[in-house]
Amino acid sequence: MLLGVNIDHVATLRNARGGIEPSVIDAARIAEENGATSITTHLREDRRHIKDEDVYTLTKTLKTKLNLEMAMAEDIQKIALEIKPHSICLVPEKRQEITTEGGLDVAGQLDKVTKFIKPLLDAGIIVSLFIDPDSEQVKASAKTGAQYIEMHTGTYSETFGTEKEEAEFLKLKNAAKLAQSLGLTVNAGHGLNYENVHRMHEIEGLYELNIGHSIISRAVFTGLPEAVSKMKELIK
Ligand code: PXP
């Protein structure tokens, strides 16, 4: 499995003082040097962490791939079409949420999603849809033209180590199988950490995991090189 490192929290820390450190550009470079196969950033509508100039600079400095998380917002779509990241991951976005709370409801807005991603696909950008591990969402995603899905692992992560874990894990396993049978490449992410990530090995053919919070949290104590390389070791 490949490791995409989400560096949004580095920007959160930087913005807390309004200055330039810690640098998200340096964080991305260090993550790449220690095994990240892509760098993920979420350009939120309220720009609470990653800012436009971060994305523009990363486009020039990254050695691997930029995965741009975005909501269905036209101004962000415009930026994506301008910078042409390797991939975009379409996520739902609520202004008040602390982090992305649930998967995108593709089944409930199939036409809207299909129309929104068309220009991105036409521009040669890989489109991934961040969805809950639910068969209706998977089937709808396959109809949109998107090539990837990213399964929301938040509930699995929250229930890890409880009696509910197995049921949540099975949802991921079944959704991945269905998605792959429909020709989709399957990524996963949200809430994965050094304890719960190992079960991702039980899901055949998972392509890439996108992990942010646990890596940046660990890096506070061990440094980013160790935090990224340790996670890389666990998922390889
Ligand atoms: N994937 C998506 C689509 C996300 O929105 C996030 C959180 O920004 C992540 C992965 C990473 O989640 P975490 O920070 O919990 O590892």
Side-chain angles (χ1 to χ4, degrees), residues 3 5 7 29 39 46 65 70-71 78 85 94-95 103-104 108-109 125 135 151-152 157 181 191 199 204 208 220 223:
L3 173 63
V5 174
I7 56 168
R29 177 181 49 77
I39 299 297
D46 61 9
K65 304 170 289 181
M70 56 184 277
K78 215 167 133 199
K94 293 188 211 124
R95 282 192 181 251
L104 185 69
Q109 44 182 350
I125 301 166
S135 62
M151 298 191 298
H152 195 317
S157 300
S181 76
R199 292 208 73 183
E204 239 173 82
E208 190 164 54
V220 171

Side-chain angles (χ1 to χ4, degrees), residues 6 50 67 71 77 81 94 108 113 131 159 178 193 199 215 219:
N6 182 315
I50 291 293
N67 176 42
Q77 185 197 51
L81 288 170
K94 293 188 211 124
V113 173
I131 58 168
T159 57
L178 175 63
N193 62 29
R199 292 208 73 183
I215 292 177

Side-chain angles (χ1 to χ4, degrees), residues 72 91-92 102-110 113 130-132 137 140-141:
M72 280 198 281
V91 299
L104 185 69
D105 179 16
V106 181
Q109 44 182 350
L110 188 55
V113 173
F130 185 54
I131 58 168
D132 290 327
Q137 297 298 344
S141 298

Side-chain angles (χ1 to χ4, degrees), residues 6 8-9 42 69 89 91 99-100 130 150 189-192 210-214:
N6 182 315
D8 293 346
H9 289 315
H42 184 174
E69 284 180 20
C89 180
V91 299
T99 182
T100 314
F130 185 54
E150 179 171 327
H190 212 287
L192 294 174
N210 286 313
I211 308 180
H213 189 82
S214 62

Side-chain angles (χ1 to χ4, degrees), residues 31-202:
E32 287 182 320
E33 286 167 2
N34 289 280
T37 44
S38 69
I39 299 297
T40 295
T41 56
H42 184 174
L43 191 60
R44 294 186 75 100
E45 287 180 80
D46 61 9
R47 308 297 200 272
R48 72 168 76 145
H49 38 55
I50 291 293
K51 298 189 183 297
D52 296 22
E53 57 266 34
D54 297 325
V55 172
Y56 285 106
T57 308
L58 284 169
T59 310
K60 293 191 206 109
T61 58
L62 285 189
K63 301 268 184 304
T64 58
K65 304 170 289 181
L66 176 63
N67 176 42
L68 184 69
E69 284 180 20
M70 56 184 277
M72 280 198 281
E74 278 184 21
D75 62 321
I76 316 261
Q77 185 197 51
K78 215 167 133 199
I79 294 173
L81 288 170
E82 190 188 332
I83 63 168
K84 292 199 175 56
H86 175 262
S87 57
I88 69 101
C89 180
L90 206 61
V91 299
E93 202 174 293
K94 293 188 211 124
R95 282 192 181 251
Q96 302 310 321
E97 68 191 0
I98 294 172
T99 182
T100 314
E101 281 170 359
L104 185 69
D105 179 16
V106 181
Q109 44 182 350
L110 188 55
D111 274 2
K112 189 175 170 193
V113 173
T114 306
K115 283 196 188 110
F116 185 84
I117 66 172
K118 173 110 184 13
L120 298 160
L121 290 167
D122 288 348
I125 301 166
I126 289 173
V127 172
S128 177
L129 303 176
F130 185 54
I131 58 168
D132 290 327
D134 169 90
S135 62
E136 291 314 308
Q137 297 298 344
V138 171
K139 284 187 225 156
S141 298
K143 289 183 191 152
T144 62
Q147 306 95 324
Y148 288 31
I149 58 161
E150 179 171 327
M151 298 191 298
H152 195 317
T153 48
T155 312
Y156 158 73
S157 300
E158 276 164 23
T159 57
F160 182 75
T162 73
E163 59 189 18
K164 295 188 182 142
E165 173 190 329
E166 203 51 36
E168 292 305 324
F169 177 73
L170 278 178
K171 285 184 197 167
L172 293 168
K173 201 168 179 175
N174 293 336
K177 203 168 173 193
L178 175 63
Q180 286 157 350
S181 76
L182 296 171
L184 292 160
T185 298
V186 182
N187 292 342
H190 212 287
L192 294 174
N193 62 29
Y194 296 83
E195 279 73 48
N196 65 30
V197 77
H198 66 90
R199 292 208 73 183
M200 296 300 110
H201 285 295
E202 296 172 47

